[in-house]
Amino acid sequence: MADGHKEPPIVVKIGGSTLGNNDTSLADLVKLQQQGQDVVVVHGGGPVISQWMQRQGIAPRFVNGLRVTDGESLDIVVAVLTGLVNKELVGIMHGLGAKVLGMSGIDAGILEARIANPDLGFVGEITKVNPEPINTILEGGYIPLLAPLAMQERDGSQHSGGALNINGDTVAGELAHALGARHLIFLTDVAGVMDGNGRVMARLNRRRARLLLNSDVVKGGMIPKLEACVRALETSPVTDIVDGRDQGALLKCLEGDGGGTRIVA
């Protein structure tokens, strides 16, 4: 919790695929802060990373929704997420009246990770979350806005202490879990979790979500989102995956009228 008198924070993941599409996500976040609610935000930036990779003649590759990240790609990922995307979002939100502090999971040792699958390159699996800096920022009245990077744990390897690329959905789930968030919300570019016939499943429980993950129904970028919801639900009561392109999607979701898919414990 941010302090002994406040509710646990809300964790919101804003997808790189929705940014710049004239959605109201950033304005909605500012409204929540002005209402006195503690919000932690994780942002993506996948499309911008892919654009910069292609400019450098590097073809983006994905495995189960996770970006394959070699050394050259990692430089682009770090520069784009922490430089271009994070600071642009901070600037926009500041202009809307927010108190916001932009950073990555590397800063203050918030996230540590190890290389999970060498085939993915410098892509991390989170091993430790340090929520103390997040809570300190919330207590100061700021929104922490995190780029999804982590520091490689001190394992004696050549890359020890270096940056690792982490899927933003995974980061949001781990932060929600560590903070005991009262709500985890994914603002994405799809209507929700679809069944085999392409219909949105409005409500799931954790058991049903696990079954979907073990099936062939859920694919691509929805896999890490659903995995993150399952993880967060160990300490958080409710998670949502909603279409962030809809006007007021975040505020509607918190009012119970956001459409999409709600997943509860």
Side-chain angles (χ1 to χ4, degrees):
M1 288 190 187
D3 63 49
H5 304 289
K6 284 193 174 184
E7 292 184 290
I10 300 162
V11 175
V12 179
K13 164 61 173 23
I14 50 178
S17 54
T18 65
L19 298 176
N21 282 354
N22 299 314
D23 67 14
T24 61
S25 301
L26 301 182
D28 290 353
L29 288 165
V30 176
K31 286 180 184 176
L32 290 177
Q33 183 180 52
Q34 291 169 344
Q35 292 168 6
Q37 301 200 52
D38 283 339
V39 189
V40 178
V41 184
V42 179
H43 68 78
V48 184
I49 292 170
S50 294
Q51 289 167 15
W52 278 85
M53 287 179 68
Q54 287 163 350
R55 288 181 190 179
Q56 302 299 319
I58 304 169
R61 291 190 298 125
F62 295 86
V63 176
N64 290 329
L66 301 177
R67 182 185 298 274
V68 177
T69 309
D70 60 16
E72 194 175 10
S73 302
L74 182 64
D75 289 345
I76 295 172
V77 167
V78 172
V80 169
L81 287 178
T82 64
L84 294 173
V85 178
N86 190 272
K87 301 317 166 198
E88 180 182 4
L89 293 174
V90 169
I92 293 170
M93 292 180 69
H94 183 76
L96 292 169
K99 292 178 66 178
V100 57
L101 185 62
M103 70 200 78
S104 77
I106 297 170
D107 294 295
I110 294 168
L111 298 175
E112 291 186 21
R114 63 182 172 220
I115 292 176
N117 179 354
D119 293 340
L120 291 173
F122 295 108
V123 173
E125 175 182 77
I126 294 172
T127 56
K128 182 181 178 182
V129 179
N130 175 18
E132 184 180 342
I134 298 291
N135 286 326
T136 300
I137 292 163
L138 291 171
E139 287 164 11
Y142 288 81
I143 294 174
L145 178 70
L146 270 81
L149 298 167
M151 181 188 300
Q152 180 163 327
E153 58 188 9
R154 301 287 175 176
D155 57 5
S157 71
Q158 187 175 358
H159 195 66
S160 176
L164 291 177
N165 184 19
I166 312 284
N167 181 275
D169 300 330
T170 304
V171 169
E174 291 294 334
L175 281 175
H177 182 274
L179 292 164
R182 62 186 171 94
H183 206 142
L184 168 63
I185 302 170
F186 288 95
L187 299 174
T188 185
D189 62 348
V190 294
V193 181
M194 310 287 189
D195 64 16
N197 295 315
R199 294 173 300 206
V200 174
M201 291 182 276
R203 194 173 180 91
L204 298 169
N205 59 27
R206 198 156 41 136
R207 176 181 169 276
R208 176 70 177 144
R210 282 202 187 101
L211 289 172
L212 283 171
L213 285 168
N214 291 326
S215 71
D216 291 327
V217 175
V218 178
K219 294 181 171 67
M222 189 55 72
I223 294 171
K225 288 178 179 60
L226 204 52
E227 288 176 340
C229 289
V230 169
R231 172 65 168 159
L233 286 168
E234 293 175 15
T235 62
S236 300
V238 59
T239 65
D240 277 278
I241 300 172
V242 300
D243 193 336
R245 298 168 300 181
D246 293 341
Q247 295 277 312
L250 176 57
L251 300 180
K252 289 176 184 175
C253 178
L254 289 166
E255 293 163 0
D257 187 30
T261 301
R262 173 157 290 187
I263 307 146
V264 297

